[in-house]
Amino acid sequence: MNARPRPDQALPIEVHGTARHPLGMPAARFLTSYWQKRPLLVRHAFAHFELPLDENDLGGLACEDMALSRIVMRDRDADTWSLRQGPFDEHDFAALPDRDWTLLVQDVDKWDPDVARLLDPFRFLPSWRVDDIMVSHAEDGGGVGPHADQYDVFLLQGKGRRHWSIDIRPDAPQTLREDSELKLLRDFEPTHQWTLEPGDMLYLPPGIPHDGVAVGPCLTFSIGMRAPSQAELLLDLAEHIAAALPEAYRYADPDLRPAPAPGEIDEAALNRLAKRLGHFAQPLSRDELASWFGSFITRYRMAQQVAPPARRKSRKQLLQALATGATLMRHPWSRFAWTRRRGGATLFASGQPYACTLSMARWLCSDRTLHLPKPPDESAQDVLLALINDGHLALKRERKR
Ligand code: SIN
Ligand code: CO
């Protein structure tokens, strides 16, 4: 007996557009079944597609100072890719080879009202989710290489043909090549391939590996979405909230007791901090809060940064200096503090963390000039060397009388 297909298995990856439904289905169905979920190839999405601009217009735009343009070129024999940022001029274009390059111009909808009209069929999406229309002109073999984007994109073929390959496997490899500033995928194994003709459109949700290679000269319109990262949202929200907070709301410790170990960011300090930050601190563990605060407070209100020494000190030099009675001086602009972490401590020096033992953290924060009570063991040597070579500590030899 044949098993009934799961509803999602029954969804086609390829459909035909109609005059009424450019996506080959009502917008509501597209949103439920495909949007942010799975790719969709729509043949004849725009059956009577009229090209709003051609490669010459695009080349002209790429010569404007204000337009964001780039040229990606592939060296097929060496399997390398190069990127050049615009603006370009006629000589740049005249010097290009016959094949294996593409010109891409961002935000063409802002420059050209005819291109902006291509957004009309996408009115079923909130307008603020739409970022821009990027237009690319590629010569035969041109493309930007296999990659995955962070945003949803509708790749509308405008002129000529382009061969698209995509990998829809949920565990598709995402490792990047290390030899290119373009974020190219190291391993790309397509599961689906199509050649798109003018008016055909490929929808890709974020993260789907894809590669579009021009089959002869072609123009592609990428209708790209905008989705702020959680980091961007949080940063802006924090700034927004902070702007309205009274200056008098600050860290306060009327309950302070004499510090048993100077420099320690202790439990009481972390509790006061968590109270002051309220629900913003809630997602953080105690260690995460301490680690952020240690770094923050040792940078806070610092007008200067310490510079590393001109010559790095070696372990041998450190041991020799200590053996002849040298002391360690903290750089006057280095601020030290420490916090307990499982099995030891983290020392913060002007924002930088250094893992060390509790006793070492205590000792390093105990004074600005330090005398070593006994020769340091290897892990203590590592910490001292790191602090010396980052400029926070300096070896000072005892003056001979
Ligand atoms: C293009 O080359 O036009 C599209 C680039 C992309 O795959 O995002
Ligand atoms: Co892409």
Coordinates of all heavy atoms in Angstrom, one line a residue, residues 336-374:
F336 N 42.4 47.4 36.1 CA 42.3 46.0 36.4 C 41.0 45.7 37.2 O 40.7 46.5 38.2 CB 43.5 45.4 37.1 CG 44.7 45.2 36.3 CD1 44.8 45.7 35.0 CD2 45.8 44.4 36.8 CE1 46.0 45.5 34.2 CE2 46.9 44.2 36.0 CZ 47.0 44.7 34.8
A337 N 40.3 44.6 37.0 CA 39.3 44.1 37.9 C 39.2 42.6 37.6 O 39.7 42.1 36.6 CB 38.0 44.8 37.6
W338 N 38.6 41.9 38.5 CA 38.5 40.4 38.3 C 37.2 39.9 38.8 O 36.5 40.5 39.6 CB 39.7 39.7 38.9 CG 39.8 39.8 40.3 CD1 40.4 40.8 41.0 CD2 39.3 38.9 41.3 NE1 40.4 40.5 42.4 CE2 39.7 39.4 42.6 CE3 38.6 37.7 41.3 CZ2 39.4 38.7 43.8 CZ3 38.3 37.0 42.5 CH2 38.7 37.5 43.7
T339 N 36.9 38.7 38.3 CA 35.6 38.1 38.7 C 35.9 36.6 38.8 O 36.7 36.1 38.1 CB 34.5 38.4 37.8 OG1 33.4 37.6 38.0 CG2 34.8 38.3 36.3
R340 N 35.2 35.9 39.8 CA 35.3 34.5 39.9 C 34.7 33.8 38.7 O 33.6 34.2 38.3 CB 34.6 34.0 41.2 CG 35.4 34.3 42.4 CD 34.4 34.2 43.6 NE 35.0 35.0 44.7 CZ 35.8 34.5 45.6 NH1 36.1 33.2 45.6 NH2 36.3 35.3 46.6
R341 N 35.3 32.8 38.2 CA 34.7 31.9 37.3 C 35.0 30.5 37.8 O 35.9 30.3 38.6 CB 35.1 32.1 35.9 CG 36.5 31.8 35.6 CD 36.9 32.0 34.2 NE 38.4 31.8 34.2 CZ 39.0 30.7 34.0 NH1 38.3 29.6 33.7 NH2 40.3 30.6 34.1
R342 N 34.2 29.5 37.2 CA 34.4 28.1 37.7 C 35.9 27.7 37.8 O 36.6 27.8 36.8 CB 33.6 27.2 36.8 CG 32.8 26.1 37.6 CD 31.8 25.5 36.8 NE 30.9 26.4 36.1 CZ 30.5 26.3 34.9 NH1 30.8 25.3 34.1 NH2 29.7 27.2 34.3
G343 N 36.4 27.4 38.9 CA 37.7 26.9 39.0 C 38.8 27.9 39.0 O 40.0 27.6 38.9
G344 N 38.4 29.2 39.0 CA 39.5 30.2 38.9 C 38.9 31.6 38.8 O 37.8 31.9 39.4
A345 N 39.6 32.5 38.0 CA 39.1 33.8 37.9 C 39.4 34.3 36.5 O 40.1 33.7 35.7 CB 40.0 34.7 38.9
T346 N 38.7 35.4 36.2 CA 39.0 36.1 34.9 C 39.4 37.5 35.4 O 38.7 38.2 36.1 CB 37.8 36.2 34.0 OG1 37.3 34.9 33.7 CG2 38.2 36.9 32.7
L347 N 40.6 37.9 34.9 CA 41.1 39.2 35.2 C 40.8 40.0 33.9 O 40.9 39.6 32.8 CB 42.7 39.2 35.3 CG 43.2 40.6 35.4 CD1 43.2 41.1 36.8 CD2 44.6 40.7 34.8
F348 N 40.3 41.2 34.1 CA 40.0 42.1 33.0 C 41.0 43.3 33.1 O 41.2 43.9 34.1 CB 38.6 42.7 33.1 CG 37.6 41.6 32.9 CD1 37.0 41.0 34.1 CD2 37.1 41.2 31.7 CE1 36.1 40.0 34.0 CE2 36.2 40.2 31.6 CZ 35.7 39.5 32.7
A349 N 41.7 43.5 32.0 CA 42.6 44.7 31.9 C 42.2 45.5 30.8 O 42.2 45.1 29.6 CB 44.0 44.2 31.7
S350 N 41.7 46.7 31.1 CA 41.1 47.6 30.1 C 40.3 46.9 29.0 O 40.4 47.1 27.8 CB 42.3 48.4 29.4 OG 43.0 49.1 30.4
G351 N 39.4 46.1 29.5 CA 38.4 45.5 28.6 C 38.8 44.1 28.2 O 38.0 43.3 27.7
Q352 N 40.1 43.7 28.3 CA 40.5 42.4 27.7 C 40.5 41.4 28.9 O 41.0 41.6 30.0 CB 42.0 42.5 27.2 CG 42.1 43.3 25.9 CD 43.5 43.5 25.6 OE1 44.2 44.4 26.2 NE2 44.0 42.8 24.6
P353 N 40.0 40.2 28.6 CA 39.9 39.1 29.6 C 41.1 38.3 29.6 O 41.7 38.0 28.5 CB 38.7 38.3 29.2 CG 38.6 38.5 27.7 CD 39.2 39.8 27.4
Y354 N 41.6 37.9 30.8 CA 42.7 36.9 30.9 C 42.3 35.9 32.0 O 42.1 36.3 33.1 CB 44.0 37.7 31.4 CG 44.5 38.8 30.5 CD1 43.9 40.0 30.5 CD2 45.4 38.5 29.5 CE1 44.3 41.0 29.6 CE2 45.8 39.5 28.6 CZ 45.3 40.8 28.7 OH 45.6 41.8 27.8
A355 N 42.3 34.6 31.6 CA 42.0 33.6 32.6 C 43.2 33.4 33.5 O 44.3 33.3 33.0 CB 41.6 32.3 31.8
C356 N 42.9 33.3 34.8 CA 44.0 33.0 35.7 C 43.5 32.4 37.0 O 42.3 32.2 37.1 CB 44.8 34.3 36.0 SG 43.8 35.6 36.8
T357 N 44.4 32.1 37.9 CA 43.9 31.6 39.2 C 43.3 32.7 40.1 O 43.6 33.9 39.9 CB 45.0 30.9 40.0 OG1 46.0 31.9 40.2 CG2 45.6 29.8 39.2
L358 N 42.6 32.3 41.1 CA 42.0 33.3 42.0 C 43.1 34.1 42.7 O 43.1 35.3 42.8 CB 41.2 32.6 43.1 CG 39.8 32.3 42.9 CD1 39.2 31.5 44.0 CD2 39.0 33.6 42.7
S359 N 44.2 33.3 43.2 CA 45.2 34.0 43.9 C 46.0 35.0 43.0 O 46.4 36.1 43.4 CB 46.2 33.0 44.6 OG 46.7 32.2 43.6
M360 N 46.2 34.6 41.7 CA 46.9 35.5 40.8 C 46.0 36.8 40.5 O 46.6 37.9 40.5 CB 47.1 34.7 39.5 CG 47.7 35.5 38.4 SD 49.3 34.8 38.0 CE 50.0 36.0 37.0
A361 N 44.7 36.6 40.4 CA 43.8 37.7 40.1 C 43.9 38.7 41.3 O 44.1 39.9 41.2 CB 42.4 37.3 39.9
R362 N 43.8 38.1 42.5 CA 43.9 38.9 43.7 C 45.2 39.7 43.8 O 45.3 40.9 44.1 CB 43.9 38.0 45.0 CG 42.5 37.7 45.4 CD 42.4 37.2 46.8 NE 41.2 36.5 47.0 CZ 41.1 35.1 47.0 NH1 42.1 34.4 46.8 NH2 39.9 34.6 47.2
W363 N 46.3 39.0 43.5 CA 47.7 39.5 43.6 C 47.8 40.7 42.5 O 48.3 41.7 42.8 CB 48.7 38.4 43.4 CG 50.1 38.9 43.3 CD1 50.8 39.4 44.4 CD2 50.9 39.0 42.2 NE1 52.1 39.8 43.9 CE2 52.2 39.5 42.6 CE3 50.7 38.6 40.8 CZ2 53.2 39.8 41.7 CZ3 51.8 38.9 39.9 CH2 53.0 39.4 40.4
L364 N 47.4 40.4 41.3 CA 47.5 41.4 40.2 C 46.8 42.7 40.5 O 47.2 43.7 40.1 CB 47.1 40.8 38.9 CG 48.0 39.8 38.2 CD1 47.3 39.0 37.1 CD2 49.2 40.5 37.6
C365 N 45.7 42.6 41.2 CA 44.9 43.8 41.5 C 45.3 44.4 42.9 O 44.8 45.4 43.3 CB 43.4 43.4 41.6 SG 42.7 43.0 40.0
S366 N 46.3 43.8 43.6 CA 46.5 44.2 44.9 C 47.3 45.5 45.0 O 47.3 46.3 46.0 CB 47.3 43.2 45.7 OG 48.6 42.9 45.1
D367 N 48.1 45.8 43.9 CA 48.9 47.0 43.9 C 49.2 47.4 42.5 O 49.2 46.6 41.6 CB 50.2 46.8 44.8 CG 50.6 48.1 45.4 OD1 50.2 49.2 44.9 OD2 51.4 48.0 46.4
R368 N 49.7 48.7 42.4 CA 50.1 49.1 41.0 C 51.6 48.6 40.7 O 52.0 48.5 39.6 CB 50.0 50.6 40.8 CG 48.6 51.1 41.1 CD 48.4 52.5 40.6 NE 48.3 52.5 39.2 CZ 47.2 52.3 38.5 NH1 46.1 52.0 39.1 NH2 47.2 52.3 37.2
T369 N 52.4 48.4 41.8 CA 53.7 47.9 41.6 C 53.7 46.6 42.3 O 53.4 46.5 43.5 CB 54.8 48.8 42.2 OG1 54.6 50.1 41.6 CG2 56.2 48.3 42.0
L370 N 54.2 45.5 41.6 CA 54.1 44.2 42.2 C 55.4 43.5 42.3 O 56.2 43.6 41.4 CB 53.2 43.3 41.3 CG 51.7 43.8 41.1 CD1 51.1 43.2 39.9 CD2 50.9 43.5 42.4
H371 N 55.6 42.9 43.5 CA 56.8 42.1 43.7 C 56.4 40.7 43.8 O 55.5 40.4 44.5 CB 57.5 42.5 45.0 CG 57.8 43.9 45.1 ND1 59.0 44.5 44.8 CD2 57.1 45.0 45.5 CE1 59.0 45.8 44.9 NE2 57.8 46.1 45.4
L372 N 57.1 39.9 43.0 CA 56.7 38.5 43.0 C 57.2 37.7 44.2 O 58.4 37.7 44.5 CB 57.2 37.8 41.7 CG 56.2 37.0 40.9 CD1 55.3 37.9 40.2 CD2 56.9 36.2 39.9
P373 N 56.3 37.1 45.0 CA 56.7 36.4 46.2 C 57.6 35.2 45.9 O 58.5 34.9 46.7 CB 55.4 36.1 46.9 CG 54.4 36.1 45.9 CD 54.8 37.0 44.8
K374 N 57.3 34.5 44.8 CA 58.0 33.3 44.5 C 58.1 33.2 42.9 O 57.2 33.8 42.3 CB 57.4 32.1 45.1 CG 56.0 31.8 44.7 CD 55.5 30.5 45.4 CE 54.2 30.1 45.1 NZ 53.1 29.8 44.7

